[in-house]
Amino acid sequence: MSLRLGDIAPDFTANTTEGPIHFHEWLGNSWGMIFSHPADFTPVCTTELGRTAQLSDEFAKRGVKVIAVSVDPIDQHHEWVKDINEVNNTTVNFPLIADENREVATLYDMIHPNASEKATVRSVFIIGPDKKIKLTLTYPASTGRNFFEILRVIDSLQLTATYSVATPADWQEGEDVIVTPAVSNDQLEEKFPKGVTFVKPYLRKTPQPNK
Ligand code: BEZ
């Protein structure tokens, strides 16, 4: 069965470009992103891993540890990382799992046989400090992911984990947010001292509380 939001992210031990990793131990109390790719030495994947490396400060700023999965062997990963660094003018500074036996791919349901029998699809799982899955995304092999969108969702997840708010369509960091329906009108002044605008009785907006 596929993994769902709120499930505990499966634990595993794997060989990576940074040595063996016991996943939950490696995550510690951090947020995490585990994401898969169809194969090493493929063009779209080369741009995706490069973009992730270029954005490593952004992931670090948000306290998110990043780890990539592909079902190729470790020697090949090391060779491919040289290409990724060269092509994207960056340095990959996160581990790549060599998932030759597809243990991780199977645990995370990253192989979709009707798309490809052998290769992993482009899966993304964002994991909270409680080890629970907060976001799942699945892209086809032919479409590279938008890593700014992934950072945007992480911003929303981290904000909504702390405050009784939700974020509207296309929300960007710093923009107004929505008060969740669980907050009664009597609580608004205490919880949202910056003020609340009623667009509809059920759609109440407030400035981003932590700005
Ligand atoms: C790629 O990463 O470029 C790719 C991988 C598998 C199929 C199509 C594209």
Side-chain angles (χ1 to χ4, degrees), residues 63-192:
V64 180
K65 295 182 90 171
V66 169
I67 191 163
V69 183
S70 100
V71 294
D72 288 315
I74 197 76
D75 292 351
Q76 213 166 294
H77 279 5
H78 282 299
E79 285 307 305
W80 185 37
V81 164
K82 291 181 198 164
D83 282 1
I84 297 167
N85 289 344
E86 180 198 325
V87 167
N88 298 283
N89 193 24
T90 190
T91 303
V92 171
N93 59 356
F94 52 86
L96 267 71
I97 296 169
D99 192 32
E100 281 180 279
N101 59 11
R102 302 182 188 188
E103 188 194 327
V104 178
T106 304
L107 277 175
Y108 282 80
D109 199 25
M110 290 165 165
I111 295 180
H112 296 195
N114 291 331
S116 166
E117 288 280 346
K118 289 190 193 143
T120 41
V121 291
R122 298 188 195 282
S123 300
V124 181
F125 295 87
I126 302 295
I127 299 162
D130 56 4
K131 310 282 184 297
K132 289 186 179 168
I133 294 173
K134 308 295 181 186
L135 170 81
T136 66
L137 282 175
T138 306
Y139 276 47
S142 51
T143 305
R145 286 158 283 199
N146 183 330
F147 288 87
F148 294 113
E149 167 60 5
I150 293 170
L151 290 170
R152 190 191 75 86
V153 181
I154 291 168
D155 286 340
S156 172
L157 286 168
Q158 295 185 338
L159 180 70
T160 60
T162 308
Y163 297 94
S164 303
V165 298
T167 56
D170 297 337
W171 174 83
Q172 297 286 344
E173 178 77 7
E175 294 179 355
D176 287 356
V177 298
I178 292 170
V179 178
T180 56
V183 179
S184 71
N185 287 343
D186 293 343
Q187 296 172 296
L188 292 178
E189 205 172 310
E190 179 208 332
K191 281 191 169 262
F192 300 103

Side-chain angles (χ1 to χ4, degrees), residues 38-39 42-46 122 141-142:
T42 49
V44 177
C45 302
T46 301
R122 298 188 195 282
S142 51

